[in-house]
Amino acid sequence: MVSAVFHSPLDASLPLPRAGEGRGEGVPRIEAAPHPNPLPTGEREPKPSLDLRAFWMRVLPPLAGFGLLLLVWELVAMKSTTGFPTPLATWQQALTVFSDPFYSKGPNDQGVGWNVLSSLQRVALGFGLAALVGIPAGFAIGRFEFLARMFNPLISLLRPVSPLAWLPIGLLVFKGANPAAIWTIFICSIWPMVINTAVGVQRVPSDYMNVAKVLNLSEWKILTKILFPAVLPYMLTGVRLAVGTAWLVIVAAEMLTGGVGIGFWVWDEWNNLNVANIIIAIFVIGIVGLVLEFALIKIATAFTFEEVKS
């Protein structure tokens, strides 16, 4: 057996050991170089100071934006002759509304909490059905050229149609306001997931597919081991777009169909000329949409290698 011993260039410049050095006698000691700026005994190195400029740059712009919004709101309320509520009056009304958000005094008189939950339930059902159909359809369209040529014209024709244009079709077919609203969410949510998933499949490097052919992998192995990991960032982007669109559409759909929901609550408060509650509903819709977007960004960041930016 041949063994190789590697020496650093520094070893060549050292003198050969003298007698007794192998037993620890006469071995030269290597002392550490002194610190260029030694600290007094008992003192620790100072901690890095807080970057106040970076802190204020993160805090001040959002505060300035909200301050500008409140200023414009106050000016509009001062100039209004129709009783437009001020920010203070709206805040006081919000305290009253959220003091009991889950009251129920009949099918058409429920708290804002029940209305938000009803809207989220419709969005979850419509979006879930769209994901079950749209994501597999996107994989199939991106994987097989024949299906892509078959469905691309249909997608290009139907995608620009306003989601609310599908609401009468839902009312005619399902004979009910609630399934018609879910149908509207389904039809508006499916397109982003189909398109983004198909684009992700088409952008998988051809080398991956060539390796799959050489290894004679089955279609299921190609889907689970090659396509799905590569397409996941595109798919999650489509999911984010679909959820945002669904939350926008459900408000308009509920205004037209009635029942319990945040959109119906806005329309009902308009019929009662309660503008303060309409403004509160606008902020609730925005906050819920922001929470949904933030949650999906966190999920996308956890399941992808690249950073997902908002």
Side-chain angles (χ1 to χ4, degrees):
M1 180 182 295
V2 179
S3 62
V5 180
F6 296 94
H7 300 279
S8 65
L10 184 61
D11 296 337
S13 61
L14 294 177
L16 294 175
R18 293 174 295 178
E21 290 182 356
R23 295 185 300 271
E25 300 176 4
V27 178
R29 296 181 179 179
I30 301 177
E31 298 181 356
H35 195 278
N37 296 315
L39 295 174
T41 305
E43 293 188 9
R44 298 180 179 179
E45 294 184 1
K47 297 181 179 180
S49 59
L50 179 64
D51 191 352
L52 294 179
R53 184 177 182 277
F55 173 76
W56 288 115
M57 285 300 295
R58 290 179 62 90
V59 173
L60 281 182
L63 292 179
F66 281 109
L68 179 61
L69 174 63
L70 293 177
L71 178 61
V72 173
W73 185 357
E74 184 69 31
L75 292 176
V76 171
M78 291 174 57
K79 298 294 183 180
S80 176
T81 58
T82 58
F84 195 84
T86 63
L88 180 60
T90 305
W91 173 255
Q92 293 173 349
Q93 179 64 19
L95 294 178
T96 303
V97 168
F98 289 104
S99 62
D100 188 12
F102 291 100
Y103 76 87
S104 180
K105 298 179 180 179
N108 295 328
D109 188 8
Q110 299 191 20
V112 62
W114 292 121
N115 286 283
V116 171
L117 290 179
S118 297
S119 297
L120 287 175
Q121 182 181 11
R122 294 188 182 100
V123 169
L125 289 174
F127 173 79
L129 293 173
L132 289 176
V133 176
I135 292 176
F139 273 102
I141 292 173
R143 180 76 176 91
F144 303 105
E145 184 179 358
F146 178 82
L147 294 180
R149 293 179 179 273
M150 177 180 175
F151 286 104
N152 281 341
L154 296 178
I155 295 174
S156 300
L157 175 66
L158 299 178
R159 185 175 61 88
V161 177
S162 172
L164 293 182
W166 296 99
L167 184 60
I169 304 298
L171 291 172
L172 177 64
V173 173
F174 299 106
K175 308 295 183 181
N178 191 56
I182 296 173
W183 153 257
T184 306
I185 295 301
F186 168 83
I187 202 67
C188 76
S189 302
I190 194 171
W191 308 125
M193 287 187 280
V194 170
I195 294 173
N196 280 273
T197 304
V199 169
V201 173
Q202 292 170 352
R203 290 187 178 181
V204 172
S206 58
D207 293 341
Y208 294 178
M209 307 309 298
N210 293 335
V211 171
K213 291 180 180 179
V214 171
L215 297 177
N216 197 21
L217 296 181
S218 63
E219 196 64 36
W220 176 252
K221 287 286 187 180
I222 293 175
L223 175 64
T224 56
K225 301 298 183 181
I226 297 178
L227 294 182
F228 186 78
V231 176
L232 189 58
Y234 295 91
M235 188 175 68
L236 291 175
T237 300
V239 169
R240 287 175 55 198
L241 295 175
V243 167
T245 304
W247 185 243
L248 288 174
V249 170
I250 191 60
V251 176
E254 289 173 344
M255 286 183 178
L256 298 176
T257 58
V260 181
I262 191 65
F264 171 74
W265 193 61
V266 171
W267 190 251
D268 188 55
E269 295 301 328
W270 166 248
N271 291 330
N272 296 329
L273 297 180
N274 195 340
V275 183
N277 280 2
I278 295 175
I279 297 176
I280 293 170
I282 291 173
F283 279 101
V284 170
I285 293 169
I287 292 172
V288 172
L290 185 64
V291 170
L292 291 175
E293 178 76 8
F294 180 77
L296 288 172
I297 289 175
K298 288 298 182 182
I299 294 174
T301 305
F303 283 94
T304 54
F305 293 103
E306 58 187 17
E307 181 182 1
V308 180
K309 299 182 179 179
S310 58

